[in-house]
Amino acid sequence: MIKKTGQHIPLLASDGEPTLSILPTRTLILFPGETVSIHVGRPENLALIEDNTGKNKLIGVTYLPDASDGRQKANLCQIGTAAKIISTNNGPGGSKIISLEGIRRIALKTIVKKKPYLTAKINYVDEKVITTNKTATLSENILKIIEQITNVAPTYSAELPYVMKFNMENPGKFADKIAATFHFPISSKQEILQTCRLDPRLEKTLRFLEAEFERVTISYEIRETVKEKDIEERRTHFLREQLYEIKRQLGDVDIEDRAAHKLKLEVKSNKRLTPKVRERALIEIDRLSHLSTASAEYGATKFYLDWLQEIPWNVCSEEIYDLDQVEADIGSEYYGSQKIKKQILERIAVRKLHGGIDEGAPLCLAGAPGTGKASLARAMAKAMGKKFIRISAGALVDIADIKGTARTYLGAMPGIFIRTLKDAGACDPVILIEDVESLAEETNTVMPMAMLEAIDPRFNSRFLDNYVGLPIDLSRAIFICSVRSTEEIPEVLNHRLEVVELPGYIENEKIHIARKYLIPNILRKHGLKRNDVKFLESGLKNIIRSYTMEAGLLGMTREMEKICRHVAHKKASKVNKKWSITDKTVESFLGTPVYIPEMPEKSSEIGVCIGLAWTGSGGDLMIIEGLRMKGSGEVITTGSLGEVMKESIQAAHSYVHSKADVLGIDHDDFSNFDIHIHFPSGAIPKDGPSAGVTVSLVIASVMSERPIRNDIAMTGEVTLRGRVLSVGGIKEKISAAYRAGIKTIMIPCENKKDLKDLPADIIKETKFVFINNVDEVLEKGLLDFKPSSYTLEKIFAKEIEKAKRQKKKTNSRRISAKSGRKK
């Protein structure tokens, strides 16, 4: 608790052991005879001040250094100062500002109490002055170096040597006065305080003054150098102005000089430029003044100076937006998943707390065309009050497009990101980089790495454009990449992007978006009013089902624009009519339907089952067909199937084979019959395990010769043990079944959580059957499925038929043998 000095301390004899309240300090050393003010705020120190304010009351003031190791507590220095509280004043927050007067040195002996404040037994230090021949010499040397310090350091008063000279009669107080006055490190001041012998104290004071003299001398030299440079620059500027004015009076001012002078005034008055940029610009202007306006170098230099002034080096908008308002603005501009909106709001909140900087990985929006990637980025920019810029990575063919061209080349100019900042007029716009998947087509990684250098917060705080040649801070800009799917993200960028997947829209969502966003915008672009043409829900459904096949809204938008162009043509031809777009009138505008939706069969059939598939254009029905025929037990598959889907079919076949007894199927049938499984739309490649339950039902149907219900659709992956696992694209698959009029859907139990993303009307009108294993699928999907009675009857019938065949063969052999003997 007490840090010993390790030196001999002369103590005054005392009858008892005095006890003082101890006030630890970390920022000052109090010397005897000096008066200081200190700010006290800790509760224990406030209690000490309250109990020890008054006449003839002393406290101990001791230095408490910071612990060198944060895991250990610091110790009080042994030597301190007995002090008297002169005055107290109230400070902010219940604190006190007190004035202390140092009385004499004390030495801590032991700590008596720690609560409510520190109390220690002390001894008074014997401060008897014992001078030697060396004392006077040390004092004179100290006085000389004080004079040298005050000559070069303006922070010390020129009267300080005279003040110190009056204290030379008492060398001890002389050393204490110097230590309290000069800007020594606090550890050096404590070293002087705890040096009780006079000559060593003066020697340390002299050593610390010499170090202070070296410090102020270096500061003086730096100050003088800066002063001389400033005087030279002002002299040069004054002479140039004089020369320019003389030339102007004589009429000899050249065009180059006028342009250079004008540019110099613009650069000096441009507050957006940083000091380094301004310095570089002035150097280029000096070069420009010596060039002819007819030279190519003059034009290139002037073009470079224009760029330096137009780049928004320090222009940023304030992060003063309200998060609740941001959430409302994004909700009004973008219709999509609440999970995605929450993720975006969290990123904006982090940016606001960091004062406009987000050190997280850049966002990457992955989704099919028309799923709202650009709309979401635009909504973010509008909600935050930022400029919104769109650039296409597909147009970047060379690294110079990203990092700029060196100024030595003809036609050199900055890269795309510097040009974007110039167009935005700020250094913190929202920049949407579209078609990032085009960078993955490059054989080398130069382009993606150059892109990463610009958008990654680890590097872009000092982004260096080859044309500009000066580092620029891109960390305040908000970079958002967009790709069509997560598989197309370049490998170099994949691990540095935070991917946000935007799912496709189902039919109900497309209708809602069309009514709220698309139709008003399309009518405005075509000069139509709301009552000129009305899109009814039946008409929108017909457009979606018969004229588009997509996850997004681009195709639907184009079809509605065709209808509006037709109406605009009629209206411009002065045809006074109101048009209503219904399911019956759509064909008159758009012609014959392009797509015929897949619909379920009208009756239940053997080997025909309705599966649900998810494609890049959304959910769809997939009617899987099965057929058995005489053969050797082979499973034939057609329909452009991938390896995963083929393995899923084999697993389903093996499981149904293992359940032959339950299904009433003779085991020999699996060896005597081939099974052909066909998936529709053979030109379209298919893969994935989600058709496992559907294939299981088809195989069970064709082998047991039982029909499958035609009013039920299903999806789910099947394991070899018959468990049904979760699959993706549930929202799109259920929407496809609902659109086709199927109201009973089997889905894995693990996908129950995905139903929360569905519209309320679909959930209300659809019956969901949650399945854990294939047995439940077989029981609910096959008609007339009675495993207990039907299976035994089937088994016995098979055995009886087998016995009859065996008996018939035996009789035939006997008859043949008898006829042979007769012959």
Side-chain angles (χ1 to χ4, degrees), residues 415-662:
I416 184 65
F417 294 107
I418 302 299
R419 301 200 301 269
T420 299
L421 294 187
K422 176 197 169 186
D423 295 339
C427 64
D428 59 348
V430 176
I431 302 175
L432 176 64
I433 308 171
E434 298 181 293
D435 308 319
V436 174
E437 62 272 7
S438 62
L439 298 178
E441 300 172 2
E442 299 289 334
T443 55
N444 57 35
T445 60
V446 175
M447 291 286 285
M449 287 301 294
M451 177 76 74
L452 189 65
E453 187 178 344
I455 67 176
D456 195 329
R458 296 180 300 171
F459 313 121
N460 64 4
S461 60
R462 291 184 61 82
F463 177 74
L464 185 63
D465 186 273
N466 293 331
Y467 179 80
V468 178
L470 294 167
I472 184 169
D473 186 5
L474 297 181
S475 62
R476 302 185 72 89
I478 304 173
F479 293 100
I480 303 175
C481 301
S482 74
V483 293
R484 288 177 300 205
S485 67
T486 55
E487 290 81 9
E488 298 183 21
I489 300 175
E491 186 176 356
V492 177
L493 301 178
N494 197 10
H495 68 287
R496 285 304 305 166
L497 299 176
E498 181 181 343
V499 180
V500 179
E501 293 193 55
L502 276 65
Y505 294 116
I506 61 177
E507 185 178 274
N508 298 51
E509 293 173 335
K510 289 181 179 181
I511 294 172
H512 177 84
I513 294 171
R515 285 176 169 175
K516 187 175 181 181
Y517 302 100
L518 299 182
I519 294 175
N521 188 37
I522 293 173
L523 293 178
R524 179 184 57 79
K525 288 196 301 184
H526 290 79
L528 300 175
K529 296 180 181 179
R530 185 174 290 273
N531 57 357
D532 288 335
V533 56
K534 291 185 179 180
F535 288 87
L536 301 183
E537 183 174 341
S538 60
L540 294 174
K541 285 184 178 180
N542 196 0
I543 294 174
I544 295 170
R545 296 175 183 179
S546 302
Y547 296 91
T548 64
M549 184 179 288
E550 58 177 354
L553 297 161
L554 293 182
M556 181 182 179
T557 303
R558 284 194 292 266
E559 299 302 324
M560 289 193 294
E561 286 176 347
K562 288 181 183 179
I563 294 174
C564 287
R565 284 195 292 271
H566 181 89
V567 172
H569 176 252
K570 293 294 184 182
K571 185 178 180 181
S573 302
K574 298 183 179 180
V575 177
N576 190 13
K577 182 182 176 181
K578 307 298 180 184
W579 285 267
S580 180
I581 311 302
T582 65
D583 57 336
K584 297 179 180 179
T585 60
V586 166
E587 190 170 342
S588 63
F589 290 97
L590 301 179
T592 305
V594 180
Y595 303 102
I596 300 175
E598 194 78 50
M599 300 301 291
E601 299 294 334
K602 295 182 179 180
S603 60
S604 300
E605 297 182 21
I606 297 174
V608 179
C609 186
I610 304 172
L612 297 174
W614 181 84
T615 65
S617 59
D620 199 3
L621 297 188
M622 184 165 57
I623 300 178
I624 301 175
E625 301 170 344
L627 184 70
R628 81 169 187 171
M629 51 198 168
K630 283 286 185 179
S632 57
E634 186 181 355
V635 178
I636 304 168
T637 58
T638 53
S640 300
L641 308 184
E643 289 300 321
V644 176
M645 185 168 279
K646 289 179 180 179
E647 292 174 0
S648 179
I649 293 172
Q650 190 60 51
H653 178 267
S654 299
Y655 182 78
V656 174
H657 191 173
S658 69
K659 294 291 182 178
D661 292 340
V662 178

Side-chain angles (χ1 to χ4, degrees), residues 644-649 687-695 715-719 725-727 733:
V644 176
M645 185 168 279
K646 289 179 180 179
E647 292 174 0
S648 179
I649 293 172
D687 205 356
S690 63
V693 294
T694 315
V695 174
T715 183
E717 178 182 355
V718 172
T719 69
L725 305 181
S726 62
V727 293
K733 292 177 179 178

Side-chain angles (χ1 to χ4, degrees), residues 136-151 161 164-165 168 174 178 182 206 209-210 213:
T137 304
L138 288 171
S139 299
E140 291 295 334
N141 291 338
I142 288 173
L143 195 60
K144 287 179 182 178
I145 200 167
I146 288 175
E147 292 176 353
Q148 293 174 355
I149 291 174
T150 54
N151 287 335
M164 293 301 173
K165 196 171 184 180
M168 288 181 65
F174 177 63
I178 292 171
F182 282 84
L206 180 60
L209 282 171
E210 288 172 349
F213 177 65

Side-chain angles (χ1 to χ4, degrees), residues 364-381:
C364 179
L365 306 179
T371 52
K373 299 186 292 293
S375 299
L376 180 57
R378 186 184 295 107
M380 286 178 59

Side-chain angles (χ1 to χ4, degrees), residues 79-354:
I79 302 299
T81 306
K84 182 171 63 174
I85 299 175
I86 301 175
S87 63
T88 61
N89 295 297
N90 294 328
S95 61
K96 296 284 186 181
I97 300 174
I98 63 171
S99 296
L100 299 174
E101 179 185 358
I103 305 300
R104 64 182 306 156
R105 283 176 170 81
I106 60 172
L108 302 186
K109 189 174 181 182
T110 56
I111 301 296
V112 178
K113 291 191 301 183
K114 295 184 180 179
K115 299 294 183 179
Y117 43 78
L118 286 176
T119 305
K121 290 183 179 180
I122 59 105
N123 291 111
Y124 291 106
V125 177
D126 186 3
E127 298 189 67
K128 185 178 180 181
V129 177
I130 302 176
T131 60
T132 63
N133 295 333
K134 192 177 179 180
T135 304
T137 304
L138 288 171
S139 299
E140 291 295 334
N141 291 338
I142 288 173
L143 195 60
K144 287 179 182 178
I145 200 167
I146 288 175
E147 292 176 353
Q148 293 174 355
I149 291 174
T150 54
N151 287 335
V152 297
T155 54
Y156 296 112
S157 171
E159 304 295 328
L160 194 56
Y162 302 102
V163 175
M164 293 301 173
K165 196 171 184 180
F166 288 120
N167 292 281
M168 288 181 65
E169 295 179 359
N170 188 333
K173 291 184 178 180
F174 177 63
D176 291 347
K177 185 74 174 177
I178 292 171
T181 304
F182 282 84
H183 305 322
F184 296 160
I186 193 165
S187 59
S188 301
K189 292 187 176 186
Q190 176 62 28
E191 194 173 343
I192 292 174
L193 179 67
Q194 65 189 23
T195 304
C196 300
R197 294 173 57 198
L198 184 57
D199 285 351
R201 193 191 309 174
L202 290 172
E203 288 174 355
K204 290 181 180 180
T205 304
L206 180 60
R207 188 173 75 249
F208 295 145
L209 282 171
E210 288 172 349
E212 178 68 7
F213 177 65
E214 289 181 6
R215 186 187 68 82
V216 298
T217 301
I218 293 172
S219 299
Y220 174 77
E221 291 174 354
I222 294 173
R223 194 165 57 250
E224 287 298 313
T225 303
V226 173
K227 184 178 178 181
E228 290 174 3
K229 187 177 179 180
D230 183 56
I231 292 173
E232 181 62 27
E233 288 181 354
R234 283 189 288 175
R235 177 176 175 275
T236 303
H237 176 73
F238 177 72
L239 292 176
R240 287 187 183 277
E241 290 294 324
Q242 275 194 330
L243 180 61
Y244 175 79
E245 187 62 27
I246 291 171
K247 286 185 177 181
R248 191 182 67 81
Q249 293 288 347
L250 296 175
D252 294 337
V253 179
D254 296 330
I255 297 176
E256 294 86 350
D257 291 337
R258 292 195 189 99
H261 182 72
K262 182 180 179 182
L263 280 172
K264 191 172 291 186
L265 293 178
E266 290 177 358
V267 168
K268 290 183 177 180
S269 61
N270 192 338
K271 296 181 180 180
R272 300 192 303 178
L273 303 182
T274 63
K276 288 186 178 181
V277 176
R278 184 175 288 106
E279 181 182 355
R280 179 67 172 272
L282 292 175
I283 292 173
E284 294 294 329
I285 291 173
D286 288 337
R287 291 182 62 250
L288 193 71
S289 62
H290 296 90
L291 298 174
S292 171
T293 55
S295 67
E297 189 176 356
Y298 182 92
T301 305
K302 179 66 167 60
F303 186 65
Y304 176 72
L305 286 169
D306 292 342
W307 267 106
L308 287 184
Q309 293 193 79
E310 291 174 358
I311 294 173
W313 297 92
N314 290 324
V315 181
C316 296
S317 57
E318 297 182 10
E319 309 289 331
I320 56 174
Y321 41 79
D322 180 69
L323 288 179
D324 293 335
Q325 186 60 41
V326 168
E327 182 177 5
D329 292 343
I330 292 178
S332 64
E333 294 290 327
Y334 169 75
Y335 183 84
S337 170
Q338 292 297 325
K339 181 180 178 181
I340 295 175
K341 294 179 183 178
K342 181 182 177 182
Q343 191 172 354
I344 297 298
L345 283 173
E346 289 170 353
R347 293 294 297 262
I348 295 175
V350 171
R351 179 182 178 87
K352 182 177 181 180
L353 292 177
H354 266 277

Side-chain angles (χ1 to χ4, degrees), residues 39-97:
H39 187 212
V40 178
R42 297 176 68 89
E44 60 269 23
N45 293 338
L46 292 173
L48 183 149
I49 299 304
E50 185 176 354
D51 294 345
N52 291 276
T53 301
K55 293 182 178 180
N56 302 323
K57 288 188 177 181
L58 297 179
I59 64 173
V61 180
T62 309
Y63 175 53
L64 179 65
D66 292 330
S68 58
D69 187 352
R71 294 172 295 181
Q72 299 178 355
K73 292 186 177 180
N75 296 326
L76 287 169
C77 290
Q78 185 180 10
I79 302 299
T81 306
K84 182 171 63 174
I85 299 175
I86 301 175
S87 63
T88 61
N89 295 297
N90 294 328
S95 61
K96 296 284 186 181
I97 300 174

